[in-house]
Amino acid sequence: MSTTITERIKEKKENDIRNEGQDEDMELPVFQLATILHATDNFSLSNKLGQGGFGPVYKGKLVDGQEIAVKRLSSSSRQGVNEFKNEVKLIAKLQHRNLVRLLGCCIEGEEKMLVYEYMPNRSLDSFLFDQTRAKELDWTKRFRIICGIARGLLYLHQDSRLRIIHRDLKASNVLLDKEMNPKISDFGMAKTFGGEQTEGSTSRVVGTYGYMAPEYAIDGLFSIKSDVFSFGILLLEIISGIKNRGFFQPEHSLNLIGHAWKLWKEGNPLELAAESLGEGFTLSEVTRCIHISLLCLQQNPEDRPPMSSVVMMLGSEIKLPQPKQPGFLLERTALEMDSSTSKHDSTSVNEITHSILEAR
């Protein structure tokens, strides 16, 4: 036992030496562990907001009253201190009103934590897929959320210092502030590119079933257009209030994409709209958003519009091209549907245990 204690003391000293004097290089505040412990009441269960593959997230309140969300990275992470700091600095450079803001980090001993602004309304999925809370999202709010997500994604793809592909855009990764403004979060699976590079490939596919583009899920090919496909899924979910994963209609065995495409071809796209949209929405605006979603979901990545065009389409009355058949236009048997709905809807393909921006 004494040997183990000695080894731990030695390891702590090595960590302290490694951490010492590097805080000034972080380009954002470095919180002391004692500050985090006090803010979260020693990571009390009552302050726990959620749990992901990376580790738990806790709500906290600083001495000055500011509320924070603390993402405590799993101790099983093999990421070193220097790598963690480099990635934190990269995330810190992402400043946009529709991205969750990183306030700082904490690195002490084996602890590595990210400190974010706190989002009081939690995630978009907690509203969309709850029959009671969905009524709080009328069409005006939903359209504002759609436009905000589109602008945030455009910033990642085009306007940030590096071109960033999120690779895990979904309803649970869109957080809502107190005014219900959307903020894209969780860059644990993101890829960054420099210069004019816009695509890449991987033998290790990461992301969430139900949101992945066909070329990525099948061949490991990802690009800004694979994010566009995920946005198309998210757009359908916001309009319909229905999860793409686990969708089932007794009349047919199509998934949500197939159902939307069927209604579009039949000339009845508005049947997709959720009852919770209320009565004050403009039919043409909802129809236009369904049209845009189908453009984003086209099988061939080259046919999908870039986010710059999507933002323009959402904010104007320009004529839209006719969409081609979507990707992942699946038909499933009732037995397969029963099997899929038994799985958790946010299951990720990967086993990543920390939030990083992964440079290529």
Side-chain angles (χ1 to χ4, degrees), residues 193-228:
F193 293 137
E196 297 303 312
Q197 187 179 3
T198 60
E199 59 185 25
S201 63
T202 181
S203 58
R204 184 166 178 255
V205 174
V206 298
T208 303
Y209 289 121
Y211 289 89
M212 282 189 234
E215 71 278 3
Y216 181 48
I218 297 170
D219 298 316
L221 301 174
F222 59 89
S223 67
I224 57 175
K225 296 299 184 69
S226 47
D227 273 355
V228 171

Side-chain angles (χ1 to χ4, degrees), residues 123-165:
S123 57
L124 177 59
D125 65 326
S126 68
F127 282 86
L128 282 182
F129 310 131
D130 182 288
Q131 288 187 345
T132 302
R133 301 189 81 194
K135 295 174 182 176
E136 298 178 40
L137 291 182
D138 60 17
W139 175 245
T140 300
K141 290 178 181 175
R142 292 187 194 218
F143 186 66
R144 190 169 70 238
I145 288 170
I146 289 167
C147 293
I149 297 169
R151 286 191 297 267
L153 208 50
L154 172 60
Y155 171 80
L156 293 176
H157 289 178
Q158 181 175 302
D159 298 331
S160 62
R161 186 175 62 87
L162 289 173
R163 193 183 305 275
I164 297 166
I165 300 172

Side-chain angles (χ1 to χ4, degrees), residues 239 260 263-273 286-287 290-291:
I239 294 166
L263 291 175
W264 179 264
K265 290 195 299 179
E266 292 173 351
N268 301 310
L270 285 171
E271 286 187 22
L272 193 70
V286 176
T287 303
I290 295 172
H291 193 159

Side-chain angles (χ1 to χ4, degrees), residues 18 44 49 57 94 116 132 145 149 151 155 196 221 252 257-258 263 290 293 300 335 356:
R18 191 160 57 240
S44 70
L49 297 173
V57 179
L94 301 179
Y116 289 95
T132 302
I145 288 170
I149 297 169
R151 286 191 297 267
Y155 171 80
E196 297 303 312
L221 301 174
H252 57 68
I257 302 172
L263 291 175
I290 295 172
S293 74
N300 189 339
L335 182 62
I356 62 172

Side-chain angles (χ1 to χ4, degrees), residues 202-350:
T202 181
S203 58
R204 184 166 178 255
V205 174
V206 298
T208 303
Y209 289 121
Y211 289 89
M212 282 189 234
E215 71 278 3
Y216 181 48
I218 297 170
D219 298 316
L221 301 174
F222 59 89
S223 67
I224 57 175
K225 296 299 184 69
S226 47
D227 273 355
V228 171
F229 187 92
S230 300
F231 176 79
I233 296 290
L234 190 51
L235 197 43
L236 284 185
E237 291 184 334
I238 292 172
I239 294 166
S240 68
I242 301 170
K243 293 180 184 180
N244 180 47
R245 187 160 185 206
F247 171 81
F248 181 70
Q249 275 279 325
E251 297 84 11
H252 57 68
S253 54
L254 297 168
N255 61 7
L256 181 60
I257 302 172
H259 180 58
W261 180 242
K262 178 176 179 291
L263 291 175
W264 179 264
K265 290 195 299 179
E266 292 173 351
N268 301 310
L270 285 171
E271 286 187 22
L272 193 70
E275 293 181 3
S276 54
L277 294 186
E279 298 179 353
F281 66 88
T282 306
L283 298 180
S284 61
E285 197 170 63
V286 176
T287 303
R288 187 176 183 82
C289 283
I290 295 172
H291 193 159
I292 293 170
S293 74
L294 292 172
L295 291 173
C296 292
L297 292 170
Q298 293 176 106
Q299 175 76 31
N300 189 339
E302 294 178 359
D303 290 333
R304 299 171 207 152
M307 289 311 299
S308 55
S309 295
V310 171
V311 169
M312 185 182 299
M313 291 173 185
L314 288 168
S316 69
E317 297 296 324
I318 59 172
K319 186 176 180 180
L320 305 181
Q322 285 302 307
K324 299 177 183 177
Q325 180 168 301
F328 278 165
L329 194 68
L330 303 180
E331 291 195 35
R332 292 172 287 185
T333 66
L335 182 62
E336 288 172 329
M337 286 304 304
D338 288 341
S339 172
S340 69
T341 52
S342 68
K343 299 174 184 176
H344 195 278
D345 92 312
S346 62
T347 301
S348 292
V349 180
N350 72 311

